[in-house]
């Protein structure tokens, strides 16, 4: 894997890129004013270090980068379906599918303690570093970003090492089974994401580790809700539905 810098490079940025290359086991290559297309021709997919963030450029030139915009918009809305399902009290939440961390951010911003898992190396590096370093005037979001504990692990392996009832809520948002045209912000993550479906083994471990409930999100046509026994939360005119499995009798 290659790492290079943005065109606005200086000695400090080059030094950071070299240090990061060593940390990631990647090779640093000078940018030499090459365009992104020329970099792809020469290097293949590569990490791209800017002054304020780390990105990854895919073969199709789509660029995976971290930005909290989606979470910010959701928090400004008068109602968010996921927040409503969490309940009012601050909880410990295991997000087993971090991805771009939008759901993790929303859950953390309303006062929950979030641990977020990501199995794919590139996504983990880009997003976890974004959570740790991205700066914004929105202090609620910045505090939420810094509070999230990002862990590189596949969810089943992580769950197997946890003690019984160690998280209040287990959350999963696997890659959608059908393409959603409006979700163009996911184009850069699709080639890199783990496309595995939730399994009975995953559910058994989630039920053991969770205390209150398990929440999943999927396309409204996805049969995962019925296959695994989740109560589908129908959202009229929305392409994404949530599913809930209560582990104890709890009002939310």
């Amino acid at each position: 894997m290659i790492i290079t810098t943005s065109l606005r490079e200086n000695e400090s940025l080059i030094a950071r890129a070299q240090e990061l290359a060593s940390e990631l086991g990647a090779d640093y290559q000078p940018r030499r004013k090459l365009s992104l297309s020329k970099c792809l021709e020469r290097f293949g997919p590569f990490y791209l270090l800017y002054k304020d963030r780390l990105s990854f450029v895919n073969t199709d030139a789509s660029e995976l980068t971290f930005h909290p915009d989606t979470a910010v918009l959701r928090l400004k809305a008068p109602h968010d379906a996921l927040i409503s399902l969490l309940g009012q009290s601050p909880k410990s939440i295991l997000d087993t599918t971090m991805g771009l961390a939008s759901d993790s951010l929303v859950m953390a911003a309303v006062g929950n303690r979030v641990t977020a898992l990501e199995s794919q190396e590139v996504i983990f590096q880009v997003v976890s570093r974004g959570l740790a370093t991205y700066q914004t005037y929105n202090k609620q979001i910045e505090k939420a970003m810094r509070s999230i504990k990002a862990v590189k692990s596949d969810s089943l392996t992580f769950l197997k090492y946890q003690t019984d009832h160690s998280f209040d809520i287990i959350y999963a948002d696997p890659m959608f089974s059908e393409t959603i045209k409006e979700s163009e912000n996911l184009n850069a993550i699709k080639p890199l994401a783990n496309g595995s479906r939730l399994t009975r083994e995953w559910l058994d471990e989630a039920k053991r580790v969770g205390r209150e409930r398990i929440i999943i999100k999927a396309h409204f046509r996805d049969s995962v809700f019925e296959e695994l026994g989740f109560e589908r939360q129908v959202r009229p005119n929305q392409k994404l539905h949530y599913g809930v499995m209560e582990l104890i009798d709890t009002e939310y």
Side-chain angles (χ1 to χ4, degrees):
M1 190 68 71
I2 297 298
I3 182 168
T4 191
T5 62
S6 66
L7 288 172
R8 294 184 178 181
E9 62 184 11
N10 53 38
E11 290 184 4
S12 174
L13 189 63
I14 291 171
R16 284 174 52 209
Q18 292 171 333
E19 181 180 345
L20 186 57
S22 177
E23 182 180 337
L24 298 180
D27 293 324
Y28 166 73
Q29 290 290 336
R31 182 68 182 266
R32 303 188 193 282
K33 300 188 184 301
L34 293 173
S35 66
L36 289 183
S37 60
K38 288 295 183 183
C39 286
L40 280 170
E41 288 179 15
R42 185 168 297 188
F43 309 140
F46 61 95
Y47 285 109
L48 179 59
L49 184 64
Y50 293 87
K51 177 183 177 181
D52 59 347
R53 69 186 187 278
L54 176 68
S55 294
F56 185 82
V57 182
N58 289 303
T59 304
D60 63 359
S62 60
E63 189 172 336
L64 176 68
T65 192
F66 172 80
H67 201 286
D69 274 2
T70 300
V72 171
L73 290 173
R74 287 173 60 183
L75 289 165
K76 287 181 178 178
H79 174 266
D80 184 86
L82 177 56
I83 293 175
S84 297
L85 292 174
L86 298 178
Q88 295 182 349
S89 301
K91 302 181 188 299
S92 59
I93 300 175
L94 178 64
D95 181 350
T96 62
T97 49
M98 180 173 75
L100 294 172
S102 293
D103 289 328
S104 287
L105 257 177
V106 167
M107 293 188 287
V110 293
N112 297 294
R113 302 181 303 279
V114 178
T115 298
L117 310 180
E118 178 52 56
S119 63
Q120 304 304 99
E121 174 71 14
V122 170
I123 299 172
F124 176 78
Q125 293 298 339
V126 170
V127 177
S128 65
R129 291 171 188 277
L131 290 170
T133 63
Y134 189 93
Q135 295 183 337
T136 173
Y137 291 112
N138 187 325
K139 296 308 174 186
Q140 179 192 17
I141 286 291
E142 190 166 293
K143 181 180 179 181
M145 287 189 291
R146 304 297 186 265
S147 74
I148 294 170
K149 180 181 179 182
V151 178
K152 184 181 179 299
S153 175
D154 73 89
S155 59
L156 183 58
T157 298
F158 185 89
L159 285 166
K160 286 182 175 180
Y161 278 95
Q162 306 311 300
T163 57
D164 293 358
H165 313 306
S166 51
F167 289 90
D168 293 319
I169 293 175
I170 309 296
Y171 178 72
D173 173 22
M175 286 299 292
F176 307 137
S177 58
E178 299 197 27
T179 300
I180 298 178
K181 185 177 180 181
E182 294 85 349
S183 298
E184 293 182 355
N185 62 319
L186 298 178
N187 288 343
I189 200 173
K190 283 180 181 177
L192 304 166
N194 184 338
S196 301
R197 288 181 63 79
L198 301 179
T199 65
R200 284 283 177 186
E201 185 180 13
W202 179 92
L203 180 61
D204 288 343
E205 288 298 327
K207 289 165 71 174
R208 180 184 63 79
V209 174
R211 259 193 300 264
E212 295 184 12
R213 67 184 62 94
I214 305 169
I215 302 172
I216 63 173
K217 180 168 69 176
H219 192 278
F220 75 94
R221 291 198 183 100
D222 201 317
S223 60
V224 67
F225 303 105
E226 291 73 30
E227 289 173 0
L228 296 183
F230 281 82
E231 181 181 348
R232 185 191 289 258
Q233 308 295 303
V234 176
R235 304 169 68 206
N237 304 315
Q238 298 293 320
K239 294 184 178 179
L240 297 177
H241 287 178
Y242 289 99
V244 176
M245 181 177 291
E246 294 291 350
L247 303 178
I248 59 173
D249 293 330
T250 305
E251 293 291 333
Y252 59 87

